[in-house]
Amino acid sequence: RKEVEQDPGPFNVPEGATVAFNCTYSNSASQSFFWYRQDCRKEPKLLMSVYSSGNEDGRFTAQLNRASQYISLLIRDSKLSDSATYLCVVRNTGGFKTIFGAGTRLFVKA
Amino acid sequence: GAVVSQHPSWVICKSGTSVKIECRSLDFQATTMFWYRQFPKQSLMLMATSNEGSKATYEQGVEKDKFLINHASLTLSTLTVTSAHPEDSSFYICSARDGQAMFWGLKETQYFGPGTRLLVL
């Protein structure tokens, strides 16, 4: 079983749609959680950290459920520029080791 | 924000050639840097953790004699792909760890370089 699992997609949605991505992780000792965005042929860029209380940044909302070892990302009012691969990232205790999920591809169409 | 650079951004070489990739933290000192590899349509896979002044820690399945890592200073880590073969063709990305003392403790952030595309013919 992979340490971090995501639905690879692709998700094809129209502009303005709301889309949700899910991610599960296997190590219950994992300490920090993030969503990264990666555009084609580019390095990943931090989108947002994920906190237990849930957090929102504009159109993006992230949730963490430690009991179920589950992370989600909700994108409201999708824009064409949101088209990218979204990576679920987990950082484990000790050593600052970061584990990336395989990513979920999103295509937003006009 | 902090910047991490990589050089070169593109490499095309013949099979059997050794290729050296540099990763630099431009405005902070990084005691720890990480090297990742990403094949098309796959996730980033951590290859090794590079610690300044000591030997790198390699992930399972990564050949340390094939992928030589040197972290000679607090701002520079290098990855050398020795005797590269076509199956080594990939996107290599480094990241650097920046720790900032805050009033509440230590804030640690990971910054990624822009990546190096290696194509071995």
Side-chain angles (χ1 to χ4, degrees):
Chain A
R1 185 188 172 188
K2 293 180 182 177
E3 285 196 65
V4 179
E5 296 209 57
Q6 291 182 252
D7 179 346
F11 284 62
N12 294 289
V13 303
E15 269 188 297
T18 296
V19 61
F21 304 138
N22 301 320
C23 168
T24 56
Y25 60 96
S26 61
N27 187 342
S28 59
S30 297
Q31 194 169 46
S32 307
F33 309 90
F34 310 88
W35 283 101
Y36 276 72
R37 169 193 171 132
Q38 187 175 25
D39 293 291
C40 189
R41 297 179 176 271
K42 300 282 187 182
E43 77 277 21
K45 300 206 177 201
L46 179 64
L47 180 64
M48 59 197 302
S49 302
V50 187
Y51 304 115
S52 297
S53 54
N55 48 299
E56 189 174 307
D57 183 1
R59 298 181 292 110
F60 300 85
T61 302
Q63 295 276 354
L64 165 65
N65 184 322
R66 285 187 183 271
S68 301
Q69 294 180 203
Y70 170 96
I71 306 159
S72 66
L73 176 69
L74 183 77
I75 305 176
R76 291 181 298 278
D77 189 23
S78 299
K79 311 290 184 192
L80 294 175
S81 57
D82 292 334
S83 297
T85 297
Y86 291 83
L87 305 172
C88 175
V89 180
V90 172
R91 186 172 296 154
N92 295 332
T93 54
F96 206 72
K97 186 173 178 178
T98 304
I99 309 296
F100 285 79
T104 299
R105 298 189 73 187
L106 171 66
F107 294 102
V108 181
K109 299 180 178 180
Chain B
V3 177
V4 175
S5 71
Q6 272 185 251
H7 177 80
S9 54
W10 277 93
V11 181
I12 301 175
C13 66
K14 293 181 179 179
S15 187
T17 306
S18 290
V19 176
K20 188 178 193 178
I21 303 171
E22 293 186 349
C23 177
R24 292 180 186 273
S25 57
L26 297 184
D27 53 2
F28 66 100
Q29 294 182 328
T31 54
T32 306
M33 291 184 173
F34 304 89
W35 287 96
Y36 294 84
R37 179 167 57 180
Q38 186 177 34
F39 292 107
K41 298 188 180 181
Q42 294 187 26
S43 185
L44 275 76
M45 295 300 295
L46 179 64
M47 298 176 67
T49 302
S50 169
N51 298 297
E52 187 268 338
S54 64
K55 291 183 179 180
T57 304
Y58 289 82
E59 295 300 304
Q60 191 173 12
V62 177
E63 300 174 58
K64 60 181 180 181
D65 295 329
K66 170 81 173 174
F67 300 99
L68 301 178
I69 291 172
N70 184 282
H71 194 153
S73 78
L74 287 171
T75 59
L76 173 65
S77 175
T78 60
L79 168 68
T80 301
V81 183
T82 61
S83 186
H85 291 283
E87 58 266 29
D88 298 322
S89 299
S90 189
F91 187 39
Y92 292 85
I93 305 176
C94 74
S95 74
R97 175 185 183 182
D98 179 25
Q100 291 183 313
M102 311 293 282
F103 68 92
W104 43 261
L106 184 64
K107 177 184 177 184
E108 294 186 298
T109 309
Q110 188 174 9
Y111 297 98
F112 285 87
T116 297
R117 292 205 174 274
L118 171 62
L119 176 60
V120 185
L121 304 175

